[in-house]
Short mmCIF file of all heavy atoms in Angstrom, two decimals:
data_model
loop_
_atom_site.label_atom_id
_atom_site.label_comp_id
_atom_site.label_asym_id
_atom_site.label_seq_id
_atom_site.Cartn_x
_atom_site.Cartn_y
_atom_site.Cartn_z
N MET A 1 0.85 -1.18 0.01
CA MET A 1 -0.05 0.03 0.02
C MET A 1 0.92 1.27 -0.02
O MET A 1 1.99 1.20 0.55
CB MET A 1 -0.89 -0.11 1.22
CG MET A 1 -1.07 1.17 2.04
SD MET A 1 -2.39 1.00 3.31
CE MET A 1 -1.38 0.56 4.70
N ASP A 2 0.44 2.32 -0.71
CA ASP A 2 1.25 3.50 -0.60
C ASP A 2 0.89 4.41 0.56
O ASP A 2 -0.17 4.23 1.17
CB ASP A 2 1.20 4.21 -2.02
CG ASP A 2 -0.11 4.84 -2.29
OD1 ASP A 2 -0.74 5.50 -1.45
OD2 ASP A 2 -0.63 4.54 -3.42
N LEU A 3 1.74 5.36 0.83
CA LEU A 3 1.57 6.22 2.07
C LEU A 3 0.28 7.01 2.02
O LEU A 3 -0.27 7.34 3.09
CB LEU A 3 2.78 7.10 2.17
CG LEU A 3 2.90 7.83 3.47
CD1 LEU A 3 3.05 6.92 4.66
CD2 LEU A 3 4.10 8.84 3.44
N SER A 4 -0.20 7.36 0.83
CA SER A 4 -1.46 8.19 0.73
C SER A 4 -2.62 7.44 1.29
O SER A 4 -3.64 8.07 1.64
CB SER A 4 -1.71 8.60 -0.75
OG SER A 4 -2.04 7.50 -1.53
N MET A 5 -2.61 6.11 1.40
CA MET A 5 -3.77 5.32 1.95
C MET A 5 -3.53 4.94 3.37
O MET A 5 -4.42 4.33 3.94
CB MET A 5 -3.86 4.03 1.09
CG MET A 5 -4.22 4.32 -0.30
SD MET A 5 -4.60 2.80 -1.18
CE MET A 5 -3.02 2.32 -1.68
N ALA A 6 -2.39 5.37 4.01
CA ALA A 6 -2.19 4.97 5.33
C ALA A 6 -3.07 5.74 6.39
O ALA A 6 -3.32 6.95 6.20
CB ALA A 6 -0.68 5.34 5.73
N PRO A 7 -3.50 5.03 7.38
CA PRO A 7 -4.27 5.65 8.43
C PRO A 7 -3.40 6.62 9.25
O PRO A 7 -2.21 6.39 9.30
CB PRO A 7 -4.86 4.50 9.28
CG PRO A 7 -3.99 3.34 8.94
CD PRO A 7 -3.43 3.55 7.60
N LEU A 8 -4.00 7.54 9.88
CA LEU A 8 -3.23 8.54 10.76
C LEU A 8 -2.72 7.88 12.04
O LEU A 8 -3.33 6.93 12.59
CB LEU A 8 -4.13 9.70 11.13
CG LEU A 8 -4.71 10.52 9.96
CD1 LEU A 8 -5.63 11.64 10.51
CD2 LEU A 8 -3.58 11.18 9.14
N HIS A 9 -1.60 8.37 12.48
CA HIS A 9 -1.00 8.05 13.74
C HIS A 9 -0.65 6.57 13.94
O HIS A 9 -0.80 6.01 15.08
CB HIS A 9 -1.89 8.57 14.91
CG HIS A 9 -2.22 9.95 14.78
ND1 HIS A 9 -1.24 10.97 15.10
CD2 HIS A 9 -3.38 10.64 14.49
CE1 HIS A 9 -1.82 12.12 14.84
NE2 HIS A 9 -3.14 11.97 14.52
N GLN A 10 -0.28 5.92 12.87
CA GLN A 10 0.18 4.51 12.93
C GLN A 10 1.56 4.44 12.31
O GLN A 10 1.81 5.03 11.25
CB GLN A 10 -0.76 3.57 12.24
CG GLN A 10 -2.01 3.33 12.97
CD GLN A 10 -2.87 2.28 12.30
OE1 GLN A 10 -2.38 1.44 11.54
NE2 GLN A 10 -4.14 2.19 12.62
N ASN A 11 2.53 3.75 12.96
CA ASN A 11 3.80 3.57 12.46
C ASN A 11 3.87 2.57 11.35
O ASN A 11 3.22 1.46 11.51
CB ASN A 11 4.81 3.23 13.55
CG ASN A 11 5.10 4.37 14.50
OD1 ASN A 11 5.26 5.48 14.04
ND2 ASN A 11 5.20 4.09 15.76
N PHE A 12 4.67 2.83 10.36
CA PHE A 12 4.87 1.89 9.24
C PHE A 12 6.37 1.92 8.93
O PHE A 12 7.01 2.92 9.09
CB PHE A 12 4.01 2.24 8.00
CG PHE A 12 2.52 2.21 8.21
CD1 PHE A 12 1.82 3.32 8.54
CD2 PHE A 12 1.93 0.98 8.02
CE1 PHE A 12 0.41 3.19 8.77
CE2 PHE A 12 0.56 0.89 8.18
CZ PHE A 12 -0.20 1.92 8.59
N CYS A 13 6.80 0.82 8.21
CA CYS A 13 8.16 0.76 7.76
C CYS A 13 8.10 0.99 6.24
O CYS A 13 7.33 0.42 5.49
CB CYS A 13 8.77 -0.58 8.11
SG CYS A 13 10.46 -0.74 7.59
N ILE A 14 9.00 1.87 5.75
CA ILE A 14 9.09 2.10 4.31
C ILE A 14 9.68 0.85 3.63
O ILE A 14 10.79 0.46 3.90
CB ILE A 14 9.91 3.32 3.99
CG1 ILE A 14 9.27 4.57 4.64
CG2 ILE A 14 10.05 3.53 2.49
CD1 ILE A 14 10.10 5.82 4.54
N GLN A 15 8.92 0.23 2.71
CA GLN A 15 9.39 -0.91 2.01
C GLN A 15 10.11 -0.60 0.73
O GLN A 15 11.07 -1.31 0.31
CB GLN A 15 8.17 -1.79 1.63
CG GLN A 15 7.36 -2.26 2.88
CD GLN A 15 8.22 -3.13 3.79
OE1 GLN A 15 8.96 -4.02 3.33
NE2 GLN A 15 8.12 -2.88 5.09
N ARG A 16 9.68 0.48 0.07
CA ARG A 16 10.20 0.80 -1.24
C ARG A 16 9.77 2.17 -1.66
O ARG A 16 8.80 2.71 -1.15
CB ARG A 16 9.67 -0.22 -2.28
CG ARG A 16 9.97 0.00 -3.68
CD ARG A 16 9.57 -1.27 -4.46
NE ARG A 16 8.21 -1.32 -4.84
CZ ARG A 16 7.72 -1.01 -6.01
NH1 ARG A 16 8.50 -0.67 -6.99
NH2 ARG A 16 6.48 -1.06 -6.28
N ILE A 17 10.53 2.82 -2.49
CA ILE A 17 10.19 4.09 -3.00
C ILE A 17 10.18 3.98 -4.53
O ILE A 17 11.19 3.57 -5.19
CB ILE A 17 11.19 5.24 -2.61
CG1 ILE A 17 11.15 5.33 -1.06
CG2 ILE A 17 10.81 6.52 -3.24
CD1 ILE A 17 12.17 6.30 -0.52
N ARG A 18 9.10 4.31 -5.21
CA ARG A 18 8.88 4.23 -6.61
C ARG A 18 9.27 5.54 -7.24
O ARG A 18 9.17 6.60 -6.59
CB ARG A 18 7.40 3.90 -6.98
CG ARG A 18 6.95 2.63 -6.51
CD ARG A 18 5.57 2.35 -7.07
NE ARG A 18 4.64 3.30 -6.52
CZ ARG A 18 3.29 3.15 -6.64
NH1 ARG A 18 2.80 2.12 -7.26
NH2 ARG A 18 2.49 4.07 -6.16
N GLY A 19 9.63 5.51 -8.51
CA GLY A 19 9.92 6.69 -9.26
C GLY A 19 11.25 6.79 -9.83
O GLY A 19 12.07 5.88 -9.68
N LYS A 20 11.49 7.90 -10.51
CA LYS A 20 12.76 8.10 -11.15
C LYS A 20 13.80 8.47 -10.11
O LYS A 20 13.49 8.79 -8.98
CB LYS A 20 12.64 9.28 -12.19
CG LYS A 20 11.68 8.93 -13.29
CD LYS A 20 11.60 9.95 -14.34
CE LYS A 20 10.59 9.57 -15.40
NZ LYS A 20 10.50 10.55 -16.40
N ASP A 21 15.09 8.43 -10.55
CA ASP A 21 16.21 8.72 -9.67
C ASP A 21 16.05 10.10 -8.98
O ASP A 21 16.34 10.23 -7.79
CB ASP A 21 17.52 8.62 -10.39
CG ASP A 21 17.89 7.16 -10.71
OD1 ASP A 21 17.39 6.31 -10.09
OD2 ASP A 21 18.70 7.03 -11.63
N LYS A 22 15.51 11.06 -9.71
CA LYS A 22 15.37 12.39 -9.12
C LYS A 22 14.37 12.43 -7.95
O LYS A 22 14.66 13.05 -6.94
CB LYS A 22 14.87 13.35 -10.27
CG LYS A 22 14.74 14.74 -9.83
CD LYS A 22 14.25 15.67 -10.98
CE LYS A 22 14.00 17.08 -10.52
NZ LYS A 22 13.49 17.91 -11.55
N VAL A 23 13.34 11.66 -8.06
CA VAL A 23 12.32 11.61 -7.00
C VAL A 23 12.90 10.84 -5.79
O VAL A 23 12.74 11.32 -4.62
CB VAL A 23 11.07 10.89 -7.49
CG1 VAL A 23 10.17 10.60 -6.30
CG2 VAL A 23 10.35 11.74 -8.50
N ILE A 24 13.59 9.74 -6.06
CA ILE A 24 14.21 8.99 -4.96
C ILE A 24 15.19 9.74 -4.25
O ILE A 24 15.28 9.77 -3.00
CB ILE A 24 14.78 7.64 -5.49
CG1 ILE A 24 13.64 6.76 -6.07
CG2 ILE A 24 15.55 6.90 -4.50
CD1 ILE A 24 14.14 5.62 -6.92
N LYS A 25 16.02 10.54 -5.00
CA LYS A 25 17.06 11.37 -4.32
C LYS A 25 16.41 12.49 -3.48
O LYS A 25 16.89 12.81 -2.38
CB LYS A 25 18.02 11.97 -5.36
CG LYS A 25 19.14 12.76 -4.77
CD LYS A 25 20.11 13.22 -5.80
CE LYS A 25 21.16 13.99 -5.02
NZ LYS A 25 22.51 13.96 -5.65
N GLN A 26 15.37 13.11 -4.01
CA GLN A 26 14.69 14.22 -3.35
C GLN A 26 14.16 13.66 -1.99
O GLN A 26 14.33 14.30 -0.98
CB GLN A 26 13.53 14.69 -4.17
CG GLN A 26 12.72 15.81 -3.49
CD GLN A 26 11.49 16.21 -4.31
OE1 GLN A 26 11.14 15.64 -5.28
NE2 GLN A 26 10.79 17.26 -3.83
N LEU A 27 13.44 12.53 -1.99
CA LEU A 27 12.94 11.95 -0.77
C LEU A 27 14.06 11.53 0.14
O LEU A 27 13.99 11.72 1.40
CB LEU A 27 12.04 10.80 -1.10
CG LEU A 27 10.65 11.17 -1.74
CD1 LEU A 27 9.91 9.91 -2.26
CD2 LEU A 27 9.79 11.94 -0.73
N SER A 28 15.10 10.97 -0.37
CA SER A 28 16.17 10.53 0.43
C SER A 28 16.91 11.74 1.15
O SER A 28 17.26 11.65 2.33
CB SER A 28 17.31 9.82 -0.44
OG SER A 28 18.38 9.45 0.34
N ASN A 29 16.97 12.84 0.46
CA ASN A 29 17.52 14.06 1.08
C ASN A 29 16.68 14.58 2.24
O ASN A 29 17.16 15.22 3.13
CB ASN A 29 17.77 15.16 0.05
CG ASN A 29 18.84 14.91 -0.90
OD1 ASN A 29 19.76 14.12 -0.64
ND2 ASN A 29 18.84 15.51 -2.09
N MET A 30 15.40 14.28 2.21
CA MET A 30 14.51 14.64 3.31
C MET A 30 14.47 13.58 4.43
O MET A 30 13.79 13.83 5.38
CB MET A 30 13.07 14.78 2.75
CG MET A 30 12.93 15.99 1.85
SD MET A 30 11.21 16.43 1.43
CE MET A 30 10.63 14.98 0.52
N GLY A 31 15.16 12.52 4.22
CA GLY A 31 15.19 11.49 5.25
C GLY A 31 14.31 10.30 5.04
O GLY A 31 14.16 9.39 5.80
N VAL A 32 13.57 10.32 3.90
CA VAL A 32 12.65 9.26 3.55
C VAL A 32 13.38 8.23 2.80
O VAL A 32 13.68 8.32 1.64
CB VAL A 32 11.41 9.82 2.75
CG1 VAL A 32 10.53 8.72 2.38
CG2 VAL A 32 10.72 10.98 3.45
N GLN A 33 13.76 7.14 3.49
CA GLN A 33 14.54 6.07 2.95
C GLN A 33 14.00 4.72 3.28
O GLN A 33 13.36 4.55 4.33
CB GLN A 33 15.95 6.18 3.43
CG GLN A 33 16.64 7.49 3.02
CD GLN A 33 17.91 7.72 3.77
OE1 GLN A 33 18.14 7.13 4.87
NE2 GLN A 33 18.71 8.67 3.34
N LYS A 34 14.25 3.74 2.45
CA LYS A 34 13.85 2.35 2.65
C LYS A 34 14.27 1.88 4.05
O LYS A 34 15.44 2.11 4.44
CB LYS A 34 14.40 1.45 1.60
CG LYS A 34 13.92 0.05 1.75
CD LYS A 34 14.53 -0.78 0.58
CE LYS A 34 14.18 -2.28 0.74
NZ LYS A 34 14.75 -3.10 -0.24
N GLY A 35 13.35 1.23 4.79
CA GLY A 35 13.68 0.70 6.06
C GLY A 35 13.38 1.61 7.28
O GLY A 35 13.36 1.16 8.38
N LYS A 36 13.19 2.84 7.02
CA LYS A 36 12.89 3.84 8.10
C LYS A 36 11.42 3.76 8.50
O LYS A 36 10.56 3.43 7.68
CB LYS A 36 13.20 5.25 7.65
CG LYS A 36 14.72 5.48 7.53
CD LYS A 36 15.10 6.89 7.92
CE LYS A 36 16.59 7.01 7.91
NZ LYS A 36 16.90 8.38 8.25
N GLU A 37 11.19 4.09 9.76
CA GLU A 37 9.84 4.18 10.34
C GLU A 37 9.17 5.48 9.94
O GLU A 37 9.79 6.54 10.02
CB GLU A 37 9.88 3.94 11.75
CG GLU A 37 8.56 3.56 12.37
CD GLU A 37 8.72 3.19 13.79
OE1 GLU A 37 9.02 2.01 14.05
OE2 GLU A 37 8.51 3.97 14.65
N ILE A 38 7.89 5.51 9.52
CA ILE A 38 7.20 6.66 9.08
C ILE A 38 5.79 6.67 9.64
O ILE A 38 5.24 5.61 9.84
CB ILE A 38 7.21 6.73 7.53
CG1 ILE A 38 6.68 8.05 7.05
CG2 ILE A 38 6.42 5.60 6.98
CD1 ILE A 38 6.91 8.27 5.53
N MET A 39 5.33 7.85 9.98
CA MET A 39 3.96 7.93 10.50
C MET A 39 3.32 9.18 9.82
O MET A 39 3.92 10.26 9.66
CB MET A 39 3.95 8.18 12.03
CG MET A 39 2.59 8.50 12.59
SD MET A 39 2.63 9.02 14.29
CE MET A 39 3.17 7.53 15.11
N VAL A 40 2.05 9.01 9.44
CA VAL A 40 1.25 10.17 8.90
C VAL A 40 0.62 10.82 10.05
O VAL A 40 -0.13 10.25 10.84
CB VAL A 40 0.19 9.72 7.88
CG1 VAL A 40 -0.66 10.83 7.42
CG2 VAL A 40 0.79 8.94 6.75
N ILE A 41 0.94 12.15 10.19
CA ILE A 41 0.37 12.96 11.35
C ILE A 41 -0.88 13.64 11.00
O ILE A 41 -1.85 13.60 11.79
CB ILE A 41 1.46 13.98 11.80
CG1 ILE A 41 2.69 13.28 12.29
CG2 ILE A 41 0.88 14.95 12.80
CD1 ILE A 41 3.86 14.22 12.61
N SER A 42 -0.96 14.16 9.77
CA SER A 42 -2.20 14.78 9.36
C SER A 42 -2.29 14.79 7.79
O SER A 42 -1.28 14.64 7.17
CB SER A 42 -2.31 16.24 9.87
OG SER A 42 -1.32 17.04 9.30
N GLU A 43 -3.53 15.07 7.31
CA GLU A 43 -3.77 15.05 5.91
C GLU A 43 -4.68 16.29 5.65
O GLU A 43 -5.56 16.51 6.38
CB GLU A 43 -4.51 13.77 5.53
CG GLU A 43 -4.73 13.65 4.05
CD GLU A 43 -6.14 14.09 3.66
OE1 GLU A 43 -7.04 14.03 4.51
OE2 GLU A 43 -6.36 14.54 2.52
N ASN A 44 -4.34 17.03 4.63
CA ASN A 44 -5.10 18.22 4.26
C ASN A 44 -5.17 18.23 2.71
O ASN A 44 -4.21 18.57 2.09
CB ASN A 44 -4.43 19.44 4.79
CG ASN A 44 -5.27 20.66 4.59
OD1 ASN A 44 -6.47 20.55 4.09
ND2 ASN A 44 -4.72 21.87 4.72
N GLY A 45 -6.35 17.92 2.13
CA GLY A 45 -6.51 17.96 0.71
C GLY A 45 -5.61 17.01 -0.06
O GLY A 45 -5.23 17.23 -1.18
N GLY A 46 -5.25 15.86 0.61
CA GLY A 46 -4.33 14.91 -0.02
C GLY A 46 -2.93 15.08 0.31
O GLY A 46 -2.15 14.19 0.29
N ASN A 47 -2.53 16.29 0.66
CA ASN A 47 -1.12 16.53 1.13
C ASN A 47 -0.97 16.08 2.49
O ASN A 47 -1.86 16.16 3.35
CB ASN A 47 -0.84 17.97 1.03
CG ASN A 47 -1.01 18.50 -0.43
OD1 ASN A 47 -0.50 17.85 -1.35
ND2 ASN A 47 -1.56 19.66 -0.66
N LEU A 48 0.18 15.51 2.83
CA LEU A 48 0.39 14.87 4.12
C LEU A 48 1.47 15.58 4.99
O LEU A 48 2.49 16.15 4.37
CB LEU A 48 0.85 13.41 3.98
CG LEU A 48 -0.11 12.51 3.17
CD1 LEU A 48 0.52 11.13 3.11
CD2 LEU A 48 -1.45 12.42 3.81
N VAL A 49 1.37 15.54 6.30
CA VAL A 49 2.48 15.90 7.25
C VAL A 49 2.83 14.52 7.77
O VAL A 49 2.05 13.81 8.39
CB VAL A 49 1.99 16.88 8.29
CG1 VAL A 49 3.18 17.14 9.25
CG2 VAL A 49 1.53 18.19 7.67
N ILE A 50 4.14 14.24 7.62
CA ILE A 50 4.62 12.93 8.12
C ILE A 50 5.70 13.15 9.14
O ILE A 50 6.27 14.20 9.27
CB ILE A 50 5.19 12.08 6.94
CG1 ILE A 50 6.35 12.82 6.21
CG2 ILE A 50 4.08 11.72 5.95
CD1 ILE A 50 7.08 12.01 5.19
N ARG A 51 5.92 12.08 9.93
CA ARG A 51 7.06 12.10 10.90
C ARG A 51 8.04 11.01 10.58
O ARG A 51 7.61 9.80 10.47
CB ARG A 51 6.43 11.98 12.32
CG ARG A 51 7.54 12.19 13.33
CD ARG A 51 7.22 11.69 14.73
NE ARG A 51 7.41 10.26 14.61
CZ ARG A 51 6.90 9.36 15.46
NH1 ARG A 51 6.14 9.76 16.43
NH2 ARG A 51 7.10 8.04 15.29
N ILE A 52 9.26 11.44 10.49
CA ILE A 52 10.33 10.48 10.36
C ILE A 52 11.45 10.87 11.33
O ILE A 52 12.00 11.92 11.24
CB ILE A 52 10.91 10.47 8.87
CG1 ILE A 52 9.85 9.93 7.90
CG2 ILE A 52 12.14 9.67 8.77
CD1 ILE A 52 10.33 9.81 6.51
N ALA A 53 11.80 9.95 12.24
CA ALA A 53 12.82 10.20 13.16
C ALA A 53 12.74 11.59 13.86
O ALA A 53 13.64 12.34 13.79
CB ALA A 53 14.19 9.99 12.50
N ASP A 54 11.61 11.80 14.53
CA ASP A 54 11.38 13.07 15.25
C ASP A 54 11.43 14.37 14.32
O ASP A 54 11.60 15.44 14.92
CB ASP A 54 12.44 13.20 16.41
CG ASP A 54 12.27 12.14 17.44
OD1 ASP A 54 11.11 11.61 17.60
OD2 ASP A 54 13.25 11.66 18.00
N THR A 55 11.26 14.19 13.05
CA THR A 55 11.23 15.30 12.17
C THR A 55 9.86 15.33 11.44
O THR A 55 9.46 14.30 10.98
CB THR A 55 12.35 15.24 11.11
OG1 THR A 55 13.59 15.18 11.80
CG2 THR A 55 12.31 16.42 10.20
N ARG A 56 9.25 16.47 11.38
CA ARG A 56 7.97 16.57 10.66
C ARG A 56 8.27 17.15 9.32
O ARG A 56 8.93 18.14 9.15
CB ARG A 56 6.99 17.46 11.42
CG ARG A 56 6.51 16.79 12.67
CD ARG A 56 5.54 17.64 13.39
NE ARG A 56 5.16 16.91 14.60
CZ ARG A 56 4.02 17.16 15.29
NH1 ARG A 56 3.26 18.11 14.83
NH2 ARG A 56 3.77 16.56 16.38
N ILE A 57 7.61 16.54 8.26
CA ILE A 57 7.83 17.02 6.83
C ILE A 57 6.49 17.00 6.15
O ILE A 57 5.67 16.09 6.34
CB ILE A 57 8.76 16.00 6.15
CG1 ILE A 57 10.11 15.86 6.84
CG2 ILE A 57 8.96 16.46 4.63
CD1 ILE A 57 11.00 14.74 6.30
N ALA A 58 6.24 18.06 5.40
CA ALA A 58 5.02 18.13 4.58
C ALA A 58 5.41 17.65 3.19
O ALA A 58 6.44 18.11 2.62
CB ALA A 58 4.50 19.53 4.55
N ILE A 59 4.57 16.74 2.69
CA ILE A 59 4.83 16.22 1.29
C ILE A 59 3.47 16.23 0.52
O ILE A 59 2.40 16.23 1.05
CB ILE A 59 5.40 14.83 1.25
CG1 ILE A 59 4.47 13.83 1.90
CG2 ILE A 59 6.80 14.79 1.86
CD1 ILE A 59 4.89 12.36 1.71
N SER A 60 3.63 16.34 -0.83
CA SER A 60 2.49 16.41 -1.70
C SER A 60 1.84 15.08 -1.85
O SER A 60 2.42 14.00 -1.49
CB SER A 60 2.87 16.95 -3.05
OG SER A 60 3.70 15.98 -3.72
N LYS A 61 0.63 15.07 -2.34
CA LYS A 61 -0.13 13.84 -2.59
C LYS A 61 0.60 12.97 -3.59
O LYS A 61 0.72 11.74 -3.47
CB LYS A 61 -1.48 14.16 -3.17
CG LYS A 61 -2.45 13.05 -3.32
CD LYS A 61 -3.83 13.59 -3.74
CE LYS A 61 -4.89 12.53 -3.61
NZ LYS A 61 -6.22 13.09 -3.90
N GLU A 62 1.24 13.61 -4.64
CA GLU A 62 1.97 12.82 -5.67
C GLU A 62 3.12 12.14 -5.05
O GLU A 62 3.48 10.97 -5.30
CB GLU A 62 2.42 13.79 -6.77
CG GLU A 62 1.32 14.36 -7.58
CD GLU A 62 0.62 15.53 -6.92
OE1 GLU A 62 1.17 16.24 -6.13
OE2 GLU A 62 -0.61 15.71 -7.24
N LEU A 63 3.90 12.81 -4.14
CA LEU A 63 5.06 12.21 -3.51
C LEU A 63 4.64 11.10 -2.57
O LEU A 63 5.31 10.00 -2.49
CB LEU A 63 5.89 13.21 -2.73
CG LEU A 63 6.91 13.98 -3.55
CD1 LEU A 63 7.68 14.99 -2.68
CD2 LEU A 63 7.93 13.11 -4.27
N SER A 64 3.54 11.26 -1.88
CA SER A 64 3.10 10.23 -0.91
C SER A 64 2.71 8.98 -1.65
O SER A 64 2.86 7.89 -1.12
CB SER A 64 1.83 10.74 -0.12
OG SER A 64 0.76 10.85 -0.88
N ARG A 65 2.32 9.02 -2.90
CA ARG A 65 1.94 7.87 -3.66
C ARG A 65 3.17 7.08 -4.13
O ARG A 65 3.09 5.92 -4.54
CB ARG A 65 1.15 8.27 -4.87
CG ARG A 65 -0.26 8.69 -4.48
CD ARG A 65 -1.06 8.95 -5.75
NE ARG A 65 -2.45 9.29 -5.37
CZ ARG A 65 -3.21 10.13 -6.08
NH1 ARG A 65 -2.80 10.63 -7.19
NH2 ARG A 65 -4.44 10.33 -5.63
N LYS A 66 4.35 7.66 -4.00
CA LYS A 66 5.58 6.95 -4.50
C LYS A 66 6.28 6.17 -3.27
O LYS A 66 7.15 5.44 -3.53
CB LYS A 66 6.62 8.00 -5.00
CG LYS A 66 5.95 8.72 -6.23
CD LYS A 66 6.94 9.27 -7.14
CE LYS A 66 6.28 10.07 -8.28
NZ LYS A 66 5.74 9.15 -9.27
N ILE A 67 5.73 6.39 -2.08
CA ILE A 67 6.30 5.76 -0.91
C ILE A 67 5.44 4.51 -0.59
O ILE A 67 4.29 4.65 -0.20
CB ILE A 67 6.35 6.73 0.28
CG1 ILE A 67 7.17 7.96 -0.07
CG2 ILE A 67 6.89 6.01 1.50
CD1 ILE A 67 7.07 9.08 0.95
N ILE A 68 6.02 3.37 -0.69
CA ILE A 68 5.34 2.12 -0.43
C ILE A 68 5.65 1.68 0.98
O ILE A 68 6.83 1.54 1.40
CB ILE A 68 5.75 1.02 -1.42
CG1 ILE A 68 5.66 1.54 -2.88
CG2 ILE A 68 5.00 -0.30 -1.21
CD1 ILE A 68 4.24 1.96 -3.27
N ILE A 69 4.59 1.35 1.76
CA ILE A 69 4.76 0.96 3.17
C ILE A 69 4.24 -0.50 3.31
O ILE A 69 3.55 -1.00 2.49
CB ILE A 69 4.00 1.90 4.15
CG1 ILE A 69 2.62 2.03 3.75
CG2 ILE A 69 4.78 3.23 4.17
CD1 ILE A 69 1.75 2.86 4.75
#
């Protein structure tokens, strides 16, 4: 399942990141990497606020669909 379908306030492990190298590198630079624990904190119009390692990050709906949990 991709991150856009994840319920709020539940921890998940990132299994894979889909997309071109540019997308993977962009997410990796934000700390979104395979094997890390991730939680969706809130959702607004499809855009998500996520938590990774005590850091909160806002990502678009499109990017959230590339993160497989």
Side-chain angles (χ1 to χ4, degrees):
M1 135 172 95
D2 65 51
L3 191 61
S4 68
M5 294 186 276
L8 298 178
H9 306 291
Q10 289 187 16
N11 287 321
F12 294 95
C13 182
I14 298 173
Q15 301 298 316
R16 175 169 82 102
I17 299 175
R18 298 187 294 193
K20 297 182 180 180
D21 289 339
K22 182 179 177 182
V23 171
I24 295 170
K25 184 172 179 153
Q26 177 186 8
L27 288 169
S28 180
N29 288 339
M30 292 190 295
V32 180
Q33 300 166 343
K34 182 180 176 181
K36 290 213 173 175
E37 199 170 275
I38 190 169
M39 175 190 289
V40 178
I41 297 173
S42 67
E43 183 265 334
N44 184 11
N47 299 318
L48 303 178
V49 176
I50 59 173
R51 190 195 76 199
I52 293 187
D54 298 329
T55 303
R56 291 180 182 204
I57 302 168
I59 61 172
S60 68
K61 188 176 195 175
E62 293 79 26
L63 276 180
S64 70
R65 288 184 176 150
K66 302 202 181 285
I67 302 169
I68 307 302
I69 54 175

